[in-house]
Amino acid sequence: MALYIGFDSSTQSLTATVIEGGGKRRVVAEQVVVFDEMLPAFGTTRGVHTSADGRTVTAPPAMWVAALDLMLARLRDAGVDLSAVRAVSGSAQQHGSVYLNARFGDALEHLDAERPLAPQLERVLARPDAPVWLDCSTSGECGELTDAIGGPGALAQLTGSRAYERFTAAQIRKFARSRPADYAATSRIHLVSSFMASVLCGADAPIDPGDASGTNLMDLPRRAWSSRALEATAPDLARRLPVIRDSWSIAGLIAPYFRRRYGFGDAKVVTWSGDNPCALIGLGLIAEGQLGVSLGTSDTVFAATPRPDPDPSGSGHVFASPAGGYMALTCFANGSLARERVRDAYGLDWTGFSQLLQSTPPGNGGALMVPWFVPEITPTVDVRGPIRRELDPGDAARNVRAVVEGQAMAMRLHAQWFAPAVTTIRATGGAAANRAILQILADVFDAEVVQIAPPNAASLGAALRALHADHLASGTPMPWSDVLEGFTAPLPNAGARPRQSAVAAYAALLPRYTALIRDTMDRSC
Ligand code: ADP
Ligand code: XUL
């Protein structure tokens, strides 16, 4: 039996999807470690620590490795034969950066299998908290980086994105400037993905081009660090960054720590990637033509694309795809968080939320909400608090519909630059379990929404990447269509089909929603 594991180290949890890649192609196991619930000692809320003003958002890397220990113990105790694992890979929340001191390499090489990982690695962190994608404290640094490269258009042409607060370049610049002594003591800066891969192989791992695209530091067409961007970010940065290697490269074999403690054999560790690039693979979006939607902590819309042409409006991103080629993506910070705020404000659970969604008409009788509960990324605004039009805050049912409709219309608007006409949407993420939400997506996009069987496309994508890279490294390369076979087919009787009366209602509402956003932006500038 040939097993492959894909991890997804996301904002709120670590997921592992174990697949059998031989004759029988199936998901063998899936486990989730929820950080707040299962690792309460780290004191996170939804996986992060947030400053009083809401702008600085970090997470402890020690929690992510503690979750890895917990996960492997759970897989072993659930009877997964870890000695049969041929390769592992992973997906991680994008943009977050981990700062490591000179003892990192030595600590990885000498991990003691009798003791848990977290206390052994805590002392190699040059800063105990990693800034993560929800951070929006670096507007000044973004401006400086943009000026140094010659404007937002030039930066997007070079790196695939204009400067974003959450992207790693701005975060590194802020750290180097505000804590120069700690920066001087930092000998390696990893992304969450390459940090986790390093721990698994007990040595410094490379970054793949998919996740490196989320740094504002990589020359996207060349898939190499841009010396101009590095120089504009922080002194002596090149030696602090890991090498960039193909997404299918082998970072090493799994470290002795994991063999002794959990019974792994010679499993390969395949370079990790970002959660959105991995979800692209897990949803089977290798070729162009279909849209992926991930309804997780963030909401993202994405699709494979052949060229690295940036979003003309500046809101979206182009990343390298881990299957080769590129992917276009737009990310919204007000995803599950906004839906949860509305759910909690009216004392609902998800069943009650869905019932209210179904009890209200498409178009909500003209009531609108721009769901900016936290500062939004797309478009970048500092506004905090939802904007309501013709919507009574006391009306639970209409607010529930308004938040989901507002999100779906924003997705439609900001997917237009890379997917002007969509016939099928593949959905994943925690909220994709909710068919009432999927129905609104189908109606707003006038497209069929389908689901694949494994609930977490990012960890499935990582497992499929492990399978693909293992075959390549073993001299038996497998085309992507064969890799995906049996894993990414749409589930029958799931998802949602567009209903024509609802489609017409949203076609009428969309220009009003666009005008409301434009009006709000004008007033906030
Ligand atoms: P991430 O990978 O970003 O950590 P997930 O994709 O695991 O996030 O999604 C977690 C979110 O899914 C939770 O925060 C919750 O709001 C949402 N969720 C879970 N079940 C439902 C449901 N039935 N309806 C709507 N949202 C849900
Ligand atoms: C993408 C983004 C988020 C994170 C967390 O640009 O910031 O989707 O990857 O999932």
Side-chain angles (χ1 to χ4, degrees), residues 164-345:
Y164 271 91
E165 274 113 327
R166 70 191 192 286
F167 275 49
T168 325
Q171 296 294 338
I172 294 174
R173 184 167 176 79
K174 177 183 166 191
F175 180 61
R177 268 222 308 232
S178 59
R179 291 162 64 177
D182 291 338
Y183 180 70
T186 300
S187 44
R188 177 62 82 226
I189 303 174
H190 272 295
L191 294 180
V192 184
S193 60
S194 54
F195 170 67
M196 295 297 280
S198 300
V199 172
L200 277 170
C201 63
D204 211 36
I207 291 184
D208 93 306
D211 215 16
S213 309
T215 62
N216 273 144
L217 293 170
M218 187 180 77
D219 178 329
L220 182 61
R222 287 182 44 240
R223 285 167 150 79
W225 296 125
S226 153
S227 50
R228 280 171 64 216
L230 263 52
E231 277 157 29
T233 298
D236 209 7
L237 181 53
R239 72 171 172 85
R240 290 181 164 87
L241 294 176
V243 291
I244 298 175
R245 289 266 183 280
D246 288 333
S247 309
W248 44 87
S249 62
I250 308 296
L253 290 181
I254 200 154
Y257 175 90
F258 299 98
R259 295 166 195 245
R260 293 198 196 111
R261 199 171 168 97
Y262 300 109
F264 280 95
D266 274 344
K268 299 179 183 82
V269 178
V270 175
T271 303
W272 283 41
S273 188
D275 52 3
N276 293 295
C278 286
L280 185 84
I281 307 290
L283 287 176
L285 301 175
I286 301 299
E288 292 163 71
Q290 288 187 349
L291 190 70
V293 168
S294 171
L295 306 172
T297 310
S298 62
D299 282 350
T300 56
V301 271
F302 47 84
T305 176
R307 283 180 310 278
D309 301 337
D311 175 6
S313 85
S315 288
H317 314 289
V318 187
F319 295 158
S321 159
Y326 298 92
M327 67 183 286
L329 172 137
T330 303
C331 174
F332 301 88
N334 285 282
S336 281
L337 215 131
R339 289 184 287 273
E340 282 177 24
R341 290 278 179 93
V342 173
R343 180 198 64 182
D344 297 345

Side-chain angles (χ1 to χ4, degrees), residues 4 248 322 463-473 477-480 483:
Y4 298 89
W248 44 87
L464 294 171
R465 290 181 46 245
L467 165 65
H468 169 263
D470 177 46
H471 274 267
L472 197 62
M478 218 187 225
W480 276 108
V483 173

Side-chain angles (χ1 to χ4, degrees), residues 4-19:
Y4 298 89
I5 305 181
F7 296 99
D8 175 29
S9 183
S10 73
T11 315
Q12 304 192 48
S13 57
L14 175 72
T15 303
T17 300
V18 186
I19 60 169

Side-chain angles (χ1 to χ4, degrees), residues 391-517:
L391 177 60
D392 172 4
D395 185 338
R398 281 190 192 271
N399 277 271
V400 163
R401 177 163 281 277
V403 68
V404 180
E405 288 187 344
Q407 292 174 322
M409 285 191 281
M411 285 187 224
R412 169 106 202 244
L413 285 174
H414 290 284
Q416 247 153 19
W417 68 277
F418 63 90
V422 175
T423 51
T424 312
I425 297 174
R426 291 182 164 231
T428 186
N434 191 321
R435 279 184 92 170
I437 293 177
L438 299 188
Q439 184 62 56
I440 292 179
L441 267 182
D443 293 337
V444 167
F445 276 87
D446 189 10
E448 184 179 358
V449 179
V450 299
Q451 281 182 291
I452 55 162
N456 186 327
S459 53
L460 173 67
L464 294 171
R465 290 181 46 245
L467 165 65
H468 169 263
D470 177 46
H471 274 267
L472 197 62
S474 311
T476 52
M478 218 187 225
W480 276 108
S481 51
D482 291 359
V483 173
L484 303 179
E485 180 79 41
F487 289 108
T488 60
L491 275 174
N493 307 318
R497 285 175 189 280
R499 298 162 307 180
Q500 283 320 306
S501 60
V503 170
Y506 292 122
L509 207 57
L510 207 57
R512 268 191 63 216
Y513 188 75
T514 314
L516 176 57
I517 292 185

Side-chain angles (χ1 to χ4, degrees), residues 38-96:
M38 299 179 189
L39 294 162
F42 292 95
T44 55
T45 303
R46 294 194 181 86
V48 297
H49 296 140
T50 307
S51 64
D53 68 0
R55 309 192 68 81
T56 304
V57 187
T58 62
M63 177 178 77
W64 300 329
V65 296
L68 188 59
D69 259 336
L70 204 55
M71 174 60 80
L72 292 173
R74 285 168 70 115
L75 289 177
R76 181 196 55 200
D77 298 346
V80 176
D81 178 7
L82 295 176
S83 71
V85 174
R86 295 190 53 145
V88 305
S89 190
S91 133
Q93 56 171 307
Q94 298 195 253
H95 318 295

